[in-house]
Every structure is written in C-alpha cells, then in structure tokens.
Amino acid sequence: MTLEQLRIFVAVAERQHITRAASVLHLTQAAVSASIATLETQHGVRLFDRVGRNIALTETGRLFLEEARAVLARATAAATVLRDYAGLKHGRLAVHASQTIASYYLPRAIAQFHRLHPGFTIDLAIGNTGQVVSAIKAGDAELGFIEGPLTAPELHVAPVAVDHMAVIVPPNHPWATGRKLTNADLRKAEWVFREEGSGTRDAFLSALAERGISPDSLTIALCLPSNEAVREAVAAGAGTACLSPLVCARPLAAGELKRANILMPPRPFQAVQHKDRYIPKASATFLDLVRALSPLNA
C-alpha cells in the first residue's frame, strides 16, 4: 500500500465520483480506477459499491477512510518537519478560516507572507466555525481561525483580535434615526441570519441571551449561507442583521447601510491548532504576521 493509493482512495471517497476525483488529482480516470481496483484486489475487500455510473462507500470503505486520512495527515506532518529544517523556502501551509476572518481579516497577512516567502503557498479554505474546527481535528488544516469562544480539550485556542459586531439596517429603516434600541425592538424586528454553525450567528445569539432574549421570540425572515448574502439582503430591505463591521465597512461609509444604536458585546477572533500535532514554523510565522497586521488591532 502506498501513500499515492491512499490519496486516490480518499479523493474518490470524499467525492463519491471517479471522474471528479481524477480531475482534482490531475490523473486520468483510468489511472484512478486502476488504483482503486489494485487496492481492493491486494487486500481482498470491496471499498465501493458500483451501481451504474454511481459509486458509494461500503462499510469497509467507510472504516478505511478514517484510517487513510490519519495516515495521510501523519505523512504531511513528517514532510512539514523536514521542510522546517530547510527554512521557509518552499512548501504549503493549510489554513482554514471562518468567513468573516478569511474574507476581511487575513488577506493582508497572506499578501505580506507571500512577499516575505515567495516560494511558500498558503492554501486557504473557507467554512463556518464548526467546519474549521472539524478540519483541525481531522488534520486537514494546520492552522485555523474561528469567531467566538471554543471549548475543545484536544485543541489549543489563542485570541488574535477582538471584533465588535454591529446591528445593521437599510437607510430608510426606523432604526436608522439613531434612537437607542430596546429588547422589545429586537423582538419585533424581522431578522436575516447566517446558517447554523456560523460563528457570526452564534455570537449574536449569545449576545441576545445576555439580554434575556430567546431566539424563539425572534422573527427570522431569511437564513443565508454567507456574510455578503446577509449584507445585501439587508440593503435590499429584507430585514435587519448583526454582522462584523469588517463586512459592512464600505456600504456603511457610502450610506447604503446604517448602524443601529445598540452596543453588542465583543467577540474574540481566535487561532486554533491541534495540541497533539507538530506545529510547523510556517504556522507560527504566519500567526505572528496576522497579529501584527490585524485591521482590528490597528
């Protein structure tokens, strides 16, 4: 069994499709099929059920997928150790970040890191906070960034900045006058929310809980999967929302949105790493840059 066989198996298993996996791996469909067939023949098992053009993991395949991912994660860690000895001349750093942080907080640090280490690549993946935590636990990312608190014994969590969220409304909304809002106002409003698992959503619900407001007492008009979708829905008059000022800076400056008069509690932006895995030099170097160039700490 080779690492290449494991990489091919994991790619096919995650996509449940030979052709799509072959495209990602830059291999021919025949080469991918042959690798899977060889792995099954070598060990006398069936990893996939094939029905027409579709495939699905067998129970054996599902169990093997977890082990294959773990082996690949260890191989990546071993390569990282050797890369660190050679300095930051070339290599890759896998970073996963929640949407607000990835889109508005990290880009300056990524650009500066590239200028300082042009042979090194940062592979940035974007997901909600729950997805980022899962990636760190699974070994798919060496460094993660999330919004809000986290309790996970196997992870090291360190604050990098503090964000003060804002309730935003369109310019013609009654709240745009600047009058101070009450709990009754919040309960009467129609809200545009992020999806479940979002750090932005969780931070807002936590802030409401501190005010004694249950989510069940709110009217949720829309639930959308990105900050930008929420922001544009509010600008179009779909309701009110609570977002990071980083997301709304330009439309607020242009008068396309207004900030309501209510103080939201601060929420931390946090870096996440796995306690039991090797921390590459690139990860520590990038994290230092993130802190130094933070648009929230300026």
Side-chain angles (χ1 to χ4, degrees), residues 166-200:
V167 172
I168 58 166
V169 296
N172 59 350
H173 193 279
W175 294 359
T177 60
R179 70 174 178 85
K180 192 171 182 178
L181 301 184
T182 66
N183 284 4
D185 291 320
L186 301 180
R187 291 189 178 98
K188 291 176 183 176
E190 292 192 346
W191 291 93
V192 182
F193 266 36
R194 282 283 309 277
E195 80 287 357
E196 290 188 10
S198 159
T200 294

Side-chain angles (χ1 to χ4, degrees), residues 10 14 49 56 101 103 106 116 127 140 146 153-154 159 163 165 180-181 236 241 271 277 280 286 297:
V10 169
E14 289 178 343
D49 286 323
I101 297 175
S103 299
L106 294 182
L116 294 172
D140 295 332
I146 62 170
E154 68 271 44
D163 184 39
M165 295 176 67
K180 192 171 182 178
L181 301 184
R277 294 197 176 96
F286 180 65
N297 296 337

